[in-house]
Amino acid sequence: MRITALAGGVGGARFLRGLLTHLGRVPELSGATVTVIGNTGDDINLFGLRVCPDLDTVLYTLGGGIHEGQGWGRDGETHAVQAELAAYGATPQWFGLGDKDFGTHIVRSQWLGQGLTLSEVTARLAARWGLPHRGVTLLPMSDSPVETHVVVDEGEGPRAVHFQEWWVRMRAAVPAQRFIAVGMDRAVAAPGVLDAIREADVVLLPPSNPVVSIGIILGVPGVRDALRGTTAPVVGVSPLIGGAPVRGHADACLTAIGVESTTRAVAGLYADFLDGWLVDDADAEFAASPGRLAVRARPLLMSDVDAAADIAGAALQLAGELRPTTPAV
Amino acid sequence: MRITALAGGVGGARFLRGLLTHLGRVPELSGATVTVIGNTGDDINLFGLRVCPDLDTVLYTLGGGIHEGQGWGRDGETHAVQAELAAYGATPQWFGLGDKDFGTHIVRSQWLGQGLTLSEVTARLAARWGLPHRGVTLLPMSDSPVETHVVVDEGEGPRAVHFQEWWVRMRAAVPAQRFIAVGMDRAVAAPGVLDAIREADVVLLPPSNPVVSIGIILGVPGVRDALRGTTAPVVGVSPLIGGAPVRGHADACLTAIGVESTTRAVAGLYADFLDGWLVDDADAEFAASPGRLAVRARPLLMSDVDAAADIAGAALQLAGELRPTTPAV
């Protein structure tokens, strides 16, 4: 079974880890492969290095190197490099990078500087984290640089800041007026991205941010058309529980694009291609409403790997119901 | 008093630290300024970052951040970044860089990437280490990249390797056939370098490697002419004691260029501009020989900062004898 998933950062990565755990538990799914299309709109140049937070969160989480409590960054980190950069007065200082994490950014920047594409670099990084061995291919959504910028007004008129500055420095507390995907007009889907959607047996949308993660990937030319055109069932997992994000600032992002913070409204963003939608029991009334979309309610809190595995299993189950030719789970 | 010194790595940096200590002890020299012209032929791109080993050794030694035992690198280092790079299979692995040290290379590369010259970047780095406050200006010999390569034959015919590969990986044990200063034909002395020699009251040659440190600086167009033309006395400190380098591989370098490993032969490399030469007591017989060059014998082992300060004081003393207008020391 070929599974393709679109993923942002922490929520997406934890869902994917659950998915791999589930696949490992079900003998009939032992040959399944997973292609992850990662958001690169969060990418940022820091200290002259290319940082890809969402791709790294997927790599570290699936590879066993993640800081479990944070959900991002490496476990057992030290911060000698960052302290030196601060001593030299290098900016910005609001984005914390650990020493192990710097290793990733340095080698990525080195390889990009040698002329490799982000896809090629990501494949090399993924090899170190054992992803190919587990049947996982991580593809950046595009090899062209796309950066999500956020228009904010801190009292001196509107200005655009990098997504990370809004997310990390401002903690998304300053209202976002709108998002701009800088470079998207020139972006091309990375090699394999569109085929992975078209040729999948199942397409999954993990509970990633619908605006700045999934929404950005959907903006890559061809991705939305591929989702509309694929014969695979497309099943999503709601990132909201009772109208609130489990973590992150999805509500602030939805407000900025004029969409209500409800699981129904999020499903509406995907209405043109979504076949199945998992919602939390807290949103069970939506599951009962009539319509084309197959909605199922169940607990969606990914409190640990087992919980995430069960959610992933439920998503595959729903996909199986929607497309009987999909191998039974 | 304006003192200008040409410097390589460890030996040069320790001499300069001694010089500053000496200047601090002599009230009449409290207003002295020191301009250091640093060798950049050892510079190397590692992991996409620009590494300037000799400049950094001067910065760390004068700024109090040096690993005292090694003579290079930072004190209290950790190696998380390097371990990550190794895990990713990044090369080379034979050049050990600590996490604090990576901070310097990252910020230098960032600033170079922003369009600053190496001189401008070095001035920023020097500010963090407090050099301006101590009257010290550190200038790279050139803002143009110059890299010393070494022709070696490991049994498969001659090939050129970067100086650092020969020095660090091969530990200079493979005979060098010759040195090539790649980029020197296009190099220009950095702003201030030639004037610092022309307008100095004293020019000092610390006990740096005469071939791959001082010799490379002398190859920068205009430097040798400036040394020949300056009215300042030029006083050098022998890097050899009894024909052997105290540390490093000056003897292997001298052999490669067909020069005997003696303090007399090293002085001969500077014959066209050298006025005074400090040799160790072990080479006292050279001091007694007749000739234009003023040679003085004294202990030259820089066993600690005090010993280095005394040697620097002796060099200034000799300079004072050679040019009576120089303030007495």
Side-chain angles (χ1 to χ4, degrees):
Chain A
M1 182 161 65
R2 292 161 300 179
I3 303 169
T4 295
L6 278 53
V10 183
R14 286 182 172 169
F15 174 84
L16 291 167
R17 184 170 58 176
L19 176 63
L20 295 186
T21 301
H22 175 76
L23 295 177
R25 287 173 179 169
V26 182
E28 309 90 78
L29 294 176
S30 65
T33 58
V34 180
T35 300
V36 180
I37 300 170
N39 171 42
T40 58
D42 293 13
D43 293 5
I44 185 168
N45 287 321
L46 291 170
F47 312 110
L49 302 173
R50 191 72 181 159
V51 179
C52 301
D54 281 2
L55 296 182
D56 289 346
T57 297
V58 171
L59 290 172
Y60 298 163
T61 303
L62 300 188
I66 198 76
H67 185 297
E68 202 61 45
Q70 281 177 174
W72 52 270
R74 295 289 306 280
D75 56 342
E77 266 294 19
T78 50
H79 294 83
V81 173
Q82 183 94 18
E84 285 302 305
L85 294 174
Y88 282 119
T91 55
Q93 284 301 321
W94 48 258
F95 199 94
L97 294 171
D99 296 329
K100 293 181 184 177
D101 206 18
F102 261 111
T104 303
H105 311 318
I106 289 170
V107 76
R108 173 190 289 119
S109 302
Q110 178 187 18
W111 288 336
L112 288 172
Q114 289 169 356
L116 273 70
T117 65
L118 184 60
S119 294
E120 292 165 338
V121 169
T122 304
R124 285 193 182 185
L125 299 177
R128 178 257 168 109
W129 291 107
L131 269 59
H133 185 67
R134 304 182 69 186
V136 178
T137 304
L138 174 61
L139 303 175
M141 65 185 197
S142 175
D143 284 337
S144 331
V146 174
E147 284 192 355
T148 306
H149 289 202
V150 187
V151 179
V152 294
D153 187 343
E154 291 180 283
E156 298 174 342
R159 67 188 182 99
V161 299
H162 191 285
F163 170 76
Q164 296 294 353
E165 183 168 357
W166 180 68
W167 192 263
V168 178
R169 185 175 74 77
M170 304 181 188
R171 297 168 189 275
V174 179
Q177 299 187 349
R178 65 193 177 97
F179 298 99
I180 306 169
V182 178
M184 193 64 99
D185 54 329
R186 296 181 304 276
V188 175
V193 162
L194 300 182
D195 282 348
I197 297 170
R198 293 177 187 131
E199 299 168 5
D201 296 306
V202 177
V203 175
L204 298 176
L205 302 188
S208 290
N209 190 304
V211 183
V212 295
S213 294
I214 304 288
I216 294 294
I217 301 174
L218 293 177
V220 176
V223 167
R224 196 159 197 128
D225 285 340
L227 285 163
R228 286 195 201 99
T230 184
T231 55
V234 180
V235 173
V237 179
S238 172
L240 301 181
I241 294 183
V246 175
R247 53 172 294 144
H249 315 287
D251 43 355
C253 297
L254 288 164
T255 301
I257 63 166
V259 171
E260 217 184 344
S261 278
T262 65
T263 186
R264 182 189 299 267
V266 172
L269 292 171
Y270 310 143
D272 51 331
F273 58 79
L274 193 67
D275 302 303
W277 189 234
L278 285 189
V279 303
D280 189 79
D281 287 333
D283 300 297
E285 83 279 6
F286 179 37
S289 61
R292 189 191 75 81
L293 186 65
V295 181
R296 299 285 184 279
R298 66 172 326 278
L300 286 191
L301 195 63
M302 294 190 290
S303 46
D304 57 22
V305 177
D306 281 340
D310 290 346
I311 294 167
L316 289 181
Q317 171 81 35
L318 178 52
E321 292 172 25
L322 295 171
R323 189 186 184 222
T325 55
T326 302
V329 287
Chain B
M1 182 161 65
R2 292 162 300 180
I3 303 170
T4 295
L6 277 54
V10 183
R14 287 182 171 168
F15 174 84
L16 291 168
R17 183 171 58 178
L19 175 64
L20 295 186
T21 300
H22 175 76
L23 295 177
R25 287 175 179 168
V26 182
E28 308 90 79
L29 293 176
S30 65
T33 58
V34 180
T35 300
V36 180
I37 301 171
N39 172 41
T40 59
D42 292 15
D43 294 6
I44 185 169
N45 286 321
L46 291 170
F47 313 110
L49 302 173
R50 191 71 181 160
V51 179
C52 302
D54 281 2
L55 296 182
D56 289 347
T57 296
V58 171
L59 289 172
Y60 298 162
T61 302
L62 300 189
I66 197 76
H67 185 297
E68 202 61 46
Q70 281 177 173
W72 52 270
R74 295 289 305 280
D75 56 342
E77 267 293 21
T78 50
H79 293 84
V81 174
Q82 183 93 18
E84 285 302 305
L85 294 174
Y88 282 119
T91 54
Q93 285 300 320
W94 47 259
F95 199 94
L97 293 171
D99 295 329
K100 293 181 184 177
D101 205 19
F102 262 111
T104 303
H105 311 317
I106 289 170
V107 77
R108 173 190 289 119
S109 302
Q110 179 187 17
W111 288 336
L112 288 172
Q114 289 169 355
L116 273 69
T117 64
L118 184 59
S119 294
E120 292 165 338
V121 168
T122 304
R124 285 193 182 185
L125 299 177
R128 178 259 168 108
W129 291 107
L131 269 57
H133 185 66
R134 303 182 69 186
V136 178
T137 304
L138 174 61
L139 303 175
M141 65 186 198
S142 175
D143 284 337
S144 331
V146 173
E147 284 192 355
T148 307
H149 288 203
V150 188
V151 179
V152 294
D153 188 342
E154 291 180 282
E156 297 174 343
R159 67 188 183 100
V161 298
H162 191 286
F163 170 75
Q164 296 293 352
E165 184 169 355
W166 180 67
W167 192 263
V168 177
R169 185 175 75 76
M170 303 180 188
R171 297 169 190 275
V174 179
Q177 299 187 350
R178 64 194 178 98
F179 299 99
I180 306 169
V182 178
M184 192 65 98
D185 52 328
R186 298 181 302 277
V188 176
V193 163
L194 300 182
D195 282 347
I197 296 170
R198 293 177 187 131
E199 299 168 6
D201 295 306
V202 177
V203 175
L204 299 176
L205 302 189
S208 290
N209 190 303
V211 183
V212 295
S213 295
I214 304 288
I216 295 294
I217 301 173
L218 293 178
V220 176
V223 167
R224 196 159 196 127
D225 285 339
L227 285 163
R228 285 196 202 99
T230 185
T231 55
V234 180
V235 173
V237 179
S238 173
L240 301 182
I241 294 184
V246 174
R247 55 173 293 143
H249 315 288
D251 43 354
C253 297
L254 288 164
T255 301
I257 62 166
V259 171
E260 217 184 344
S261 278
T262 65
T263 188
R264 181 188 301 265
V266 172
L269 292 171
Y270 309 143
D272 50 331
F273 58 78
L274 193 66
D275 301 303
W277 190 234
L278 285 188
V279 302
D280 189 78
D281 287 333
D283 301 296
E285 81 280 6
F286 179 37
S289 61
R292 187 189 77 81
L293 185 64
V295 182
R296 300 284 184 279
R298 57 160 288 118
L300 285 191
L301 195 63
M302 295 190 289
S303 46
D304 56 21
V305 176
D306 281 339
D310 291 346
I311 295 167
L316 289 181
Q317 170 81 35
L318 178 52
E321 292 173 24
L322 295 171
R323 189 186 184 223
T325 56
T326 301
V329 288

